[in-house]
């Protein structure tokens, strides 16, 4: 594999050879040769530091991230001292191509002063972010750092503040993705936390505000780095990270794939790729109706439904390990890049809780920021009840879903697969929340409450009277449930009220979504009021 360093050395050698042929007194010849040797030695040093830990060097990671021979580095020796034998700063910045599209990058180099942040590093990163904003291209951050450089004191901390500010400025304008490929501690964790997505690996990835030693000194708790802030913890427990890579190569490949679904900036439409329907779509349409059981209490895997709806059955899931009662991710339908949101009946019946609400809301906001239509597949029994949820802020955190859908200006298409009850029905892309098209499968149930729960409340006196009279209460309850389902729970009432646009056969679902996307392709968001910004529940 030709590395970035090899290309640098080749370019330097070419300059030297050219200088020797044209003018033997060329004054920069020795300096250029020395710079090339410094670069070579620095990479040898980096490999010696990183490879024993099972980690790649910063430049090796860039070769994995970008298309072959496409990376152009900026300020290779900035922050260094060639005469003193210092090759450069602890961060590599530049631009390259990913699947033919320009992307900016900054990659921290742990082999140089532990990848710590100093004034030179901060200036390089801020300059990179400024250029990416000007060029309107995504930015990928490869994080592997010991944090702020203690020797530089407040100057190092100031650089983090500058990066925070510029990351916020770029938020919602250009996609920003962080790859955690080493330690990320202290105030440094807020750099990736402010970006759109965070990707970690099973080994060597760590994020924490205070490390294990500080935790032990402050609280007496003994905890390992993995348990405190490892990749699995932040993917499955805290929800800080969005994907857990098997290794660095897998994590980098995931980032490349995510960027294929996103536009270069908020000023562009979501990507559209050539695609023609064929036999595979016909087979998927026949199969989709058999996935969902007749009983509304029997679980199924909604990802199987998604695979039947999207191109090539390819679905890139986001936040897979966190709040698994909802599923979110990217896909294409007839070549159109879209975001998919769905309840997962295989996990706690697809219920909404505090974590699922935040996961869902953040993803809808991401899609809206970068012009991806949102397809919502609904099979939800409601919000999770209990004091633990109330005390954890289900009111405040559940309201984030409402805010995300109500403020979305992208095409919103909702399909009710089986049931949609109570407040969860309203917030999951209902017509009243601003969805453009709402469809329902036959036998779907839409109501304030499920039939069994509603009958127990509405007919409690009647059921008590039946018991007192010696009647079979179960039979009475079953009849009342059947009557309630026939009159109230079925989707006909929603059809009559215009809350559902059409009842569709499962086999028609993909075709219906395709047609809806075509109709909505020129949808433009409009602002009804002038304001600085809304006050979203946080």
């Amino acid at each position: 594999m030709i590395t970035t360093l090899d290309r640098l050395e080749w370019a330097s050698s070419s300059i030297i050879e050219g200088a020797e042929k044209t003018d033997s007194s060329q004054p920069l010849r020795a300096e250029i040769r020395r710079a090339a040797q410094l670069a070579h030695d620095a990479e040898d040093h980096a490999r010696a530091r990183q490879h024993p830990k099972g980690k790649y060097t910063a430049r090796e990671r860039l070769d994995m991230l970008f298309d072959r021979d496409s990376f152009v580095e900026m300020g290779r020796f900035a922050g260094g001292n060639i005469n003193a034998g210092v090759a450069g700063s602890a961060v590599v910045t530049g631009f390259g191509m990913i699947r033919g599209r320009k992307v900016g990058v900054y990659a921290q180099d742990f082999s140089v002063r532990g990848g710590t942040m100093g004034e030179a590093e901060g200036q390089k990163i801020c300059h990179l972010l400024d250029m990416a904003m000007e060029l309107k291209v995504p930015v990928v951050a490869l994080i592997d750092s010991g944090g702020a450089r203690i020797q530089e004191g407040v100057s190092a901390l100031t650089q983090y503040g500058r990066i925070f500010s510029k990351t916020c400025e770029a938020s919602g304008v250009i996609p920003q993705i962080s790859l955690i490929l080493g330690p990320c501690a202290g105030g440094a964790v807020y750099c990736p936390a402010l970006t759109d997505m965070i990707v970690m690996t099973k080994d060597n990835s760590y994020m924490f505000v205070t490390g294990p030693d500080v935790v032990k000194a402050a609280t007496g708790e003994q905890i390992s780095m993995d348990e405190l802030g490892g990749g699995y913890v932040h993917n499955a427990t805290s929800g800080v990270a969005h994907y857990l890579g098997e290794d660095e190569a897998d994590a980098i490949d995931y980032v490349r794939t995510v960027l294929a679904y996103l536009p270069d900036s908020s000023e562009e439409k979501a990507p559209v790729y050539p695609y023609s329907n064929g036999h595979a779509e016909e087979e998927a349409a026949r199969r989709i109706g058999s996935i969902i059981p007749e009983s509304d209490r029997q679980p199924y895997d909604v990802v199987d439904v998604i695979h039947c709806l999207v191109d090539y059955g390819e679905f890139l899931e986001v936040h897979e390990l966190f709040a698994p009662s909802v599923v979110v991710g990217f896909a294409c339908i007839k070549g159109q890049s879209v975001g998919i949101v769905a309840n997962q009946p295989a996990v706690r019946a697809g219920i909404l809780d505090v974590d699922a609400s935040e996961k869902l809301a953040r993803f809808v906001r991401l899609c809206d920021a970068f012009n991806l239509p949102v397809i919502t597949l609904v099979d939800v029994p409601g919000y999770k009840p209990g004091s633990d949820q109330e005390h954890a802020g289900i009111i405040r955190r559940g309201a984030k879903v409402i805010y995300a859908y109500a403020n979305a200006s992208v095409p919103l298409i909702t399909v009710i697969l089986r049931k949609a009850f109570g407040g969860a029905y309203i917030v999951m892309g209902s017509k009243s929340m601003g969805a453009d098209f709402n469809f329902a499968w036959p036998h779907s149930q839409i109501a304030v409450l499920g039939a069994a729960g509603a009958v127990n409340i509405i007919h409690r006196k009647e059921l008590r009277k039946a018991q007192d009279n010696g009647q079979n209460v179960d039979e009475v309850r079953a009849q009342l449930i059947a009557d309630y389902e026939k009159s109230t729970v079925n989707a006909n009432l929603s059809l009559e009220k215009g809350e559902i646009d059409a009842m569709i056969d499962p086999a028609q679902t993909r075709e219906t979504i395709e047609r809806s996307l075509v109709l909505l392709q020129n949808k433009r968001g409009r602002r009804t009021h002038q304001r600085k910004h809304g006050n979203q529940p946080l």
Side-chain angles (χ1 to χ4, degrees):
M1 177 176 69
I2 299 175
T3 67
T4 304
L5 178 63
D6 293 331
R7 291 193 289 273
L8 174 66
E9 291 177 305
W10 176 84
S12 300
S13 299
S14 298
I15 293 172
I16 293 169
E17 291 171 3
E20 290 174 337
K21 289 178 181 177
T22 57
D23 185 354
S24 59
S25 63
Q26 187 64 249
L28 295 180
R29 185 176 59 194
E31 282 78 359
I32 293 173
R33 182 182 291 111
R34 181 169 177 76
Q37 186 61 46
L38 268 177
H40 182 277
D41 293 345
E43 187 64 9
D44 281 346
H45 174 69
R47 282 192 287 263
R49 289 283 304 274
Q50 295 288 85
H51 287 187
K53 303 174 187 176
K55 298 164 64 177
Y56 289 102
T57 70
R59 287 181 169 79
E60 287 173 337
R61 290 163 176 166
L62 295 180
D63 284 315
M64 298 164 68
L65 177 67
F66 289 120
D67 300 345
R68 185 182 177 89
D69 296 333
S70 70
F71 178 62
V72 177
E73 186 171 356
M74 300 189 307
R76 170 64 180 87
F77 296 98
N81 187 330
I82 295 175
N83 291 331
V86 180
S89 68
V91 67
V92 181
T93 60
F95 292 87
M97 308 296 283
I98 295 181
R99 293 188 170 91
R101 292 168 53 194
K102 191 180 303 175
V103 176
V105 69
Y106 67 87
Q108 294 177 317
D109 187 347
F110 197 81
S111 70
V112 179
R113 301 184 182 182
T116 53
M117 177 73 70
E119 188 170 353
E121 288 76 14
Q123 289 175 349
K124 288 182 70 174
I125 292 172
C126 288
H127 180 58
L128 182 279
L129 291 171
D130 284 336
M131 286 194 66
M133 282 282 286
E134 185 176 350
L135 296 171
K136 294 294 190 293
V137 297
V139 169
V140 176
L142 278 65
I143 309 298
D144 189 359
S145 170
R149 189 168 297 152
I150 297 173
Q151 298 89 326
E152 296 191 25
V154 72
S155 295
L157 296 176
T158 298
Q159 298 309 314
Y160 277 122
R162 294 181 63 214
I163 296 168
F164 295 164
S165 179
K166 290 189 181 294
T167 304
C168 291
E169 181 184 350
S171 181
V173 180
I174 55 174
Q176 299 178 88
I177 302 177
S178 297
L179 264 163
I180 313 300
L181 301 175
C184 182
V189 297
Y190 295 111
C191 289
L194 291 167
T195 61
D196 298 303
M197 292 183 65
I198 295 175
V199 176
M200 301 181 73
T201 60
K202 288 185 175 180
D203 300 313
N204 299 319
S205 288
Y206 307 104
M207 293 180 73
F208 33 69
V209 176
T210 55
D213 292 339
V214 177
V215 170
K216 182 179 179 181
T219 69
E221 179 186 6
Q222 288 190 322
I223 190 168
S224 69
M225 290 178 66
D226 268 323
E227 293 170 325
L228 181 64
Y232 183 79
V233 165
H234 283 312
N235 272 270
T237 305
S238 72
V240 167
H242 299 77
Y243 180 73
L244 183 64
E246 289 290 330
D247 49 30
E248 290 191 13
D250 180 40
I252 290 171
D253 184 64
Y254 183 83
V255 171
R256 286 174 55 91
T257 306
V258 167
L259 289 173
Y261 290 101
L262 297 174
D264 290 339
S265 76
S266 60
E267 296 179 3
E268 298 184 9
K269 290 185 176 181
V272 177
Y273 300 98
Y275 188 85
S276 296
N277 288 341
H279 176 71
E281 285 70 35
E282 295 174 2
E283 179 61 32
R286 285 192 291 268
R287 189 170 73 88
I288 192 171
S290 64
I291 295 173
I292 299 183
E294 290 186 10
S295 170
D296 63 357
R297 294 179 176 274
Q298 190 171 343
Y300 64 92
D301 190 348
V302 77
V303 175
D304 291 338
V305 175
I306 295 171
H307 286 159
C308 289
L309 296 176
V310 300
D311 296 353
Y312 308 112
E314 294 178 355
F315 176 56
L316 187 72
E317 194 165 348
V318 176
H319 253 153
E320 181 178 359
L321 300 178
F322 181 66
S325 63
V326 296
V327 171
V328 301
F330 301 109
C332 285
I333 295 181
K334 197 68 177 293
Q336 168 71 66
S337 181
V338 300
I340 305 283
V341 174
N343 301 106
Q344 176 55 289
V347 180
R348 296 190 292 276
I351 206 163
L352 290 183
D353 59 15
V354 290
D355 289 338
S357 297
E358 291 193 335
K359 169 180 173 177
L360 189 161
R362 181 81 195 287
F363 184 75
V364 171
R365 294 284 280 176
L366 173 64
C367 292
D368 186 52
F370 296 110
N371 306 317
L372 271 69
V374 176
I375 314 300
T376 305
L377 307 177
V378 183
D379 189 347
V380 61
Y383 280 98
K384 183 180 179 181
S387 60
D388 62 326
Q389 292 295 298
E390 297 296 344
H391 297 169
I394 188 65
I395 297 172
R396 168 177 54 85
R397 296 162 76 178
K400 296 179 184 182
V401 182
I402 299 173
Y403 199 95
Y405 274 105
N407 283 275
S409 60
V410 294
L412 300 175
I413 301 167
T414 300
V415 182
I416 298 174
L417 306 182
R418 188 166 63 172
K419 61 182 178 296
F421 294 149
Y425 153 69
I426 299 171
V427 306
M428 291 286 295
S430 67
K431 201 81 164 180
S432 58
M433 289 298 302
D436 299 291
F437 289 110
N438 289 65
F439 306 100
W441 283 7
H443 310 300
S444 58
Q445 301 179 343
I446 306 172
V448 174
L449 200 63
V455 164
N456 287 336
I457 294 173
I458 298 171
H459 298 286
R460 60 183 180 278
K461 292 182 179 179
E462 191 173 343
L463 291 171
R464 190 183 302 117
K465 185 178 179 180
Q467 185 178 17
D468 293 341
N469 292 338
Q471 295 177 266
N472 188 318
V473 177
D474 290 336
E475 288 184 1
V476 174
R477 181 183 287 107
Q479 182 59 51
L480 291 171
I481 289 173
D483 293 342
Y484 186 84
E485 288 179 343
K486 184 177 180 181
S487 63
T488 306
V489 175
N490 68 71
N492 289 339
L493 181 61
S494 296
L495 277 168
E496 294 165 3
K497 295 291 184 180
E499 295 301 316
I500 297 295
D501 292 299
M503 192 80 75
I504 61 173
D505 188 88
Q508 299 175 307
T509 306
R510 177 183 163 95
E511 179 185 358
T512 301
I513 293 173
E514 285 180 10
R515 290 179 176 178
S516 300
L517 288 171
V518 171
L519 287 169
L520 297 169
Q521 63 184 349
N522 293 321
K523 179 184 177 182
R524 294 288 184 271
R526 60 186 181 88
R527 295 181 63 177
T528 56
H529 304 285
Q530 286 292 102
R531 62 181 179 182
K532 290 178 65 177
H533 55 74
N535 188 17
Q536 178 182 358
L538 296 173

